[in-house]
Amino acid sequence: MPATYENIATTTLTSNTTNVEFLNISQAFTDLVLVVSAKDSGTGTVNTNIRVGNGSFDTGSNYSYTFLGGSGSAASSGRSSNITSTLWGAIGTTNNTVAMLHFMNYSNTTTNKTILSRNSLPDQSSGQSVSAWALLWRSTSAINRIQLYPGGQQFASGSTFTLYGIKAA
Amino acid sequence: MIIPGIIASRFTPQGDFESIATVSVGAGGSSSISFNSIPSTYQHLQLRWIGRTNRAGNASDTVTIALNSDSGANYSYHNLYGDGSAAGAGAGANTTIMYVGWVAGATALSNTFGVGVLDILDYANTNKYKTVRSLTGRENNGSGIVSIESNSWRSTSAVTSLTITSQFGGTYQQHSQFALYGIRG
């Protein structure tokens, strides 16, 4: 029987890395929480992508998102649908972006999977410095793997990714 | 007492983040979900949900919560939301219930639910009014909304119960789930 809030796995990058993956995720929990502290190894702010799956990563047009963002001068919102991966925030090059992603009821096989994300990007020169996201994976399959990658860039060495499981009674 | 359509369970406590109780809505649906006799032994509470109601003709419904069965005009709220087209904000004063987040309504995509994570900080403190904050949203592949919400309950009473309903009188559908956790300080 798992603890109510349990560290499943932690990844700390020792070199610049394109993909960060969590595989064979235990199905014993109710929700997953992914805590990210990461920078981009490239030259500018970049949006970050996520794919999930069961047995393999879903690369079909089965993702969508709605976001709310603040840039310091304006608040905005946007969405995208029928996409092959979904965004969950952005990372910069100067300071670590911090984010928490909540994968709600990830292991059930009756509902499509909705993920909430809050993202804080403290680089002063970038947009969307604070944001909240609702993501959807249109599949009733349980999630047993997660893949994160910055678009066209790499996560910088030293970036950390910690996956927790929350077990409801 | 077994309530038809509701499956509730309690867990033996362990650690600083503990599951207090979980309500999973069964095939009969439920118009309200209650957590009663909440112990005062934690520092904070967290409520995590996935939900869908039968609100007709709409892809959204709003989660509303009363604390300690208080139906007086003792609440207020602010929110910041994005609907995919624009960001907006809302507020209400002297409300009779808290408006804390989103679930899916009847016209949402099949098998798609709204979700939320809600925190009640210092819920048992009898020297403070209670502030409730939440991150919540629903995504419908072409429509959706994400928001951050803040609610205030102008009472110094310790929170001992949560009664969860729908703003529009919807019935929570099967597979909706509300899980209450206690966080030790």
Side-chain angles (χ1 to χ4, degrees), chain B:
Chain B
M1 179 180 80
I2 297 175
I3 304 170
I6 297 286
I7 301 170
S9 60
R10 293 189 177 272
F11 186 66
T12 301
Q14 53 175 312
D16 293 329
F17 191 102
E18 296 181 358
S19 178
I20 297 173
T22 302
V23 175
S24 300
V25 178
S30 181
S31 60
S32 70
I33 290 94
S34 295
F35 294 92
N36 299 312
S37 302
I38 298 171
S40 296
T41 50
Y42 303 100
Q43 189 74 32
H44 313 298
L45 297 175
Q46 185 171 96
L47 179 72
R48 305 176 68 91
W49 76 81
I50 67 166
R52 184 180 179 110
T53 75
N54 64 351
R55 182 191 178 197
N58 206 294
S60 277
D61 203 342
T62 301
V63 180
T64 50
I65 296 181
L67 300 179
N68 293 12
S69 301
D70 184 357
S71 60
N74 299 316
Y75 306 93
S76 58
Y77 71 91
H78 284 79
N79 60 51
L80 178 65
Y81 62 87
D83 65 5
S85 298
N94 300 311
T95 59
T96 58
I97 204 164
M98 300 194 300
Y99 301 86
V100 301
W102 302 104
V103 289
T107 63
L109 289 173
S110 298
N111 305 316
T112 300
F113 288 61
V115 297
V117 179
L118 176 149
D119 295 303
I120 310 177
L121 305 180
D122 279 346
Y123 75 103
N125 191 307
T126 56
N127 297 302
K128 301 178 182 178
Y129 289 167
K130 306 306 179 288
T131 301
V132 176
R133 64 172 199 174
S134 49
L135 169 65
T136 178
R138 63 163 197 89
E139 171 53 32
N140 207 47
N141 192 41
S143 66
I145 191 164
V146 61
S147 65
I148 54 176
E149 312 270 346
S150 178
N151 280 261
S152 172
W153 180 41
R154 295 188 305 283
S155 170
T156 56
S157 298
V159 174
T160 58
S161 72
L162 278 65
T163 305
I164 303 163
T165 50
S166 146
Q167 179 183 2
F168 300 98
T171 298
Y172 286 98
Q173 301 297 287
Q174 186 179 21
H175 307 305
S176 297
Q177 184 179 80
F178 292 81
L180 183 66
Y181 300 87
I183 303 170
R184 298 195 185 280

Side-chain angles (χ1 to χ4, degrees), chain A residues 1-5 30-31 33 63-68 75-79 81-82 102 104-105 108 110-112 114 116 118 132-136 138 140 166-169, chain B residues 9-11 14 17-19 22 48-50 80-87 109-113 115-117 135-139 141-146 175 177 179 181:
Chain A
M1 176 75 74
T4 302
Y5 203 117
T30 305
D31 300 333
V33 177
Y63 303 90
S64 59
Y65 67 79
T66 296
F67 80 83
L68 165 68
S76 64
S77 181
R79 72 159 46 92
S81 46
N82 297 310
H102 300 264
M104 308 299 284
N105 280 55
N108 86 60
T110 55
T111 66
N112 291 333
T114 302
L116 291 173
R118 281 193 70 176
W133 303 69
L135 320 176
L136 180 67
R138 295 191 313 283
T140 57
I166 298 178
K167 178 63 178 173
Chain B
S9 60
R10 293 189 177 272
F11 186 66
Q14 53 175 312
F17 191 102
E18 296 181 358
S19 178
T22 302
R48 305 176 68 91
W49 76 81
I50 67 166
L80 178 65
Y81 62 87
D83 65 5
S85 298
L109 289 173
S110 298
N111 305 316
T112 300
F113 288 61
V115 297
V117 179
L135 169 65
T136 178
R138 63 163 197 89
E139 171 53 32
N141 192 41
S143 66
I145 191 164
V146 61
H175 307 305
Q177 184 179 80
Y181 300 87

Side-chain angles (χ1 to χ4, degrees), chain A residues 80-162:
Chain A
S80 192
S81 46
N82 297 310
I83 47 180
T84 58
S85 65
T86 181
L87 303 181
W88 56 271
I91 57 174
T93 59
T94 304
N95 299 300
N96 282 310
T97 289
V98 292
M100 290 184 70
L101 292 85
H102 300 264
F103 300 74
M104 308 299 284
N105 280 55
Y106 75 103
S107 61
N108 86 60
T109 55
T110 55
T111 66
N112 291 333
K113 305 304 179 291
T114 302
I115 304 162
L116 291 173
S117 173
R118 281 193 70 176
N119 182 294
S120 298
L121 194 172
D123 282 12
Q124 294 181 350
S125 61
S126 60
Q128 305 306 330
S129 295
V130 59
S131 59
W133 303 69
L135 320 176
L136 180 67
W137 178 44
R138 295 191 313 283
S139 172
T140 57
S141 297
I143 293 173
N144 68 7
R145 53 177 56 207
I146 299 168
Q147 180 186 63
L148 307 166
Y149 58 98
Q153 302 286 355
Q154 293 184 310
F155 291 114
S157 177
S159 297
T160 62
F161 305 81
T162 306

Side-chain angles (χ1 to χ4, degrees), chain A residues 13-73:
Chain A
L13 300 181
T14 56
S15 61
N16 297 342
T17 302
T18 302
N19 294 329
V20 172
E21 298 178 351
F22 293 89
L23 305 177
N24 301 315
I25 299 169
S26 168
Q27 301 296 291
F29 301 98
T30 305
D31 300 333
L32 298 174
V33 177
L34 178 61
V35 178
V36 177
S37 176
K39 286 194 296 187
D40 168 24
S41 67
T43 59
T45 302
V46 63
N47 288 323
T48 43
N49 298 270
I50 188 171
R51 286 190 174 124
V52 295
N54 187 295
S56 62
F57 293 113
D58 186 354
T59 58
S61 302
N62 298 316
Y63 303 90
S64 59
Y65 67 79
T66 296
F67 80 83
L68 165 68
S71 66
S73 58

